[in-house]
Amino acid sequence: IIVTVLPPGSARVAIAMISKLCITGGFQGIMIYSIELFPTVVRNTGMGSSSMAARFGATISPFLWLLADVWRPAPYLLFSIMTILAGLLCMLLPETKGQQLPQTLEDGEEFGKGVARKMIDSALTTLLLKRRNTDEESEVEDTKADI
């Protein structure tokens, strides 16, 4: 998104290269996490499917730059939005630190149950606490104004 507003030049190239570095690092992190996430009995199939999807995306991504002929910022916005969406969806993945990793399909089905619900509950609790704090601050301000 930043690249779309920068004028052509060395700053734009530098930001694009830093973005490329982050994408490569993220791809490696996904590969490591995927190995932990798939149960042992389907790990090869899961990793093969994930790799195929990644290679498909890598194959079509150069052609998405042709969208710049229609609207100059379109490729940047498309890649940015998809990256942000992928990052948000990663929040739904279960934590693996200190957990027994799934060995069977049944273990894999039970492994991530309730993760989305916990995340939503945590977010709502945080929002409600902030809202309560804001309401309390408003009441204090109103009381000070009355005095």
Side-chain angles (χ1 to χ4, degrees):
I1 294 175
I2 295 171
V3 175
T4 60
V5 296
L6 290 175
S10 59
R12 188 177 201 169
V13 172
I15 295 294
M17 290 297 107
I18 290 170
S19 299
K20 175 74 171 151
L21 174 73
C22 293
I23 289 167
T24 303
F27 181 76
Q28 296 307 314
I30 288 169
M31 294 303 277
I32 291 169
Y33 187 82
S34 296
I35 290 171
E36 292 181 354
L37 191 62
F38 291 116
T40 305
V41 294
V42 293
R43 189 166 292 143
N44 287 338
T45 304
M47 289 303 297
S49 300
S50 297
S51 181
M52 182 190 68
R55 301 300 173 213
F56 177 73
T59 302
I60 65 167
S61 66
F63 299 107
L64 294 178
W65 287 108
L66 297 175
L67 290 173
D69 294 340
V70 177
W71 186 45
R72 178 87 175 136
Y76 298 111
L77 291 174
L78 179 67
F79 286 123
S80 301
I81 290 169
M82 293 186 66
T83 302
I84 291 167
L85 180 64
L88 292 173
L89 288 174
C90 283
M91 292 179 165
L92 298 176
L93 293 172
E95 177 60 55
T96 59
K97 183 178 180 181
Q99 300 288 323
Q100 176 66 31
L101 297 178
Q103 301 298 316
T104 64
L105 288 175
E106 292 79 20
D107 291 345
E109 289 173 358
E110 292 296 319
F111 187 62
K113 279 196 174 172
V115 173
R117 187 74 197 152
K118 288 177 189 175
M119 187 193 75
I120 291 169
D121 289 343
S122 173
L124 289 176
T125 302
T126 303
L127 289 173
L128 289 174
L129 288 176
K130 285 183 180 178
R131 185 174 182 188
R132 284 186 196 144
N133 289 341
T134 305
D135 291 344
E136 289 172 4
E137 290 173 4
S138 297
E139 290 175 13
V140 170
E141 292 295 325
D142 291 341
T143 306
K144 287 180 183 177
D146 291 340
I147 297 177

